[in-house]
Amino acid sequence: PAAQYLSDAVVATGLVGEPLAVGRAAYGRLVGVATGSLRALTGERGAARVLGRGRKGDPAPPALPVSVALVPPGRIRVAVTMPLEVRSVLPLPPPWGTADASSSKGPSWPLVIDVESEYVVDPSSGTIAEHRLLETRINGRLTPADQLTRWLRGGMGDAS
């Protein structure tokens, strides 16, 4: 979220509640690394592109699907979906690629990353005191870290 809404002591926590970053500066670095990595992956020379988005110079791309819900008491739940297409950096022979060896474009595969987080609002200041990572899914399936976290907490429930 925008920096003006963050508490100076904001805490980012991982799947088991472990602190990933404490304080506004550390939180900013954490978010910077995450967004920088995504930009590198989806950049002009990256191995992936966001589906529905064109190439450089095309009209403005559509926004990523985001869901926001207010959850009492004083929490904001946010779910972001990143539909990607991952390209092979090397042309592959059939059945994975094209039979045309002169083709510079290799095959591609869909990759959908879903991230769900929760922001906890400090009632006294109205600022965000904590950012909790709740769940990540790759192509609709929980990541191994999410599966392990659910197992450690005592139940898998819907592990898919």
Side-chain angles (χ1 to χ4, degrees):
Q4 70 264 27
Y5 299 110
L6 293 175
S7 161
D8 288 336
V10 65
V11 177
T13 57
L15 293 169
V16 292
E18 75 281 13
L20 302 174
V22 178
R24 189 188 293 239
Y27 180 83
R29 286 190 298 272
L30 177 68
V31 171
V33 166
T35 57
S37 299
L38 186 59
R39 281 190 192 110
L41 177 69
T42 60
E44 195 169 321
R45 295 181 186 199
R49 72 177 185 93
V50 178
L51 290 176
R53 294 186 177 209
R55 298 285 176 221
K56 193 173 181 176
D58 287 351
L64 291 175
V66 176
S67 167
V68 179
L70 300 177
V71 182
R75 295 175 292 158
I76 304 164
R77 189 162 291 179
V78 178
V80 178
T81 298
M82 292 170 272
L84 303 173
E85 174 187 57
V86 179
R87 299 180 301 262
S88 172
V89 293
L90 299 172
L92 298 175
W96 305 282
T98 63
D100 181 6
S102 66
S103 171
S104 61
K105 183 180 180 197
S108 63
W109 300 271
L111 175 68
V112 178
I113 302 172
D114 295 300
V115 179
E116 188 172 335
S117 292
E118 193 169 80
Y119 297 92
V120 179
V121 179
D122 177 354
S124 63
S125 67
T127 59
I128 295 171
E130 185 178 354
H131 177 177
R132 298 176 181 160
L133 178 61
L134 299 178
E135 181 177 278
T136 51
R137 290 179 179 262
I138 303 292
N139 290 340
R141 299 190 58 84
L142 288 172
T143 65
D146 285 271
Q147 291 179 13
L148 178 61
T149 300
R150 286 191 181 191
W151 179 78
L152 290 172
R153 288 186 173 166
M156 285 299 287
D158 175 24
S160 59

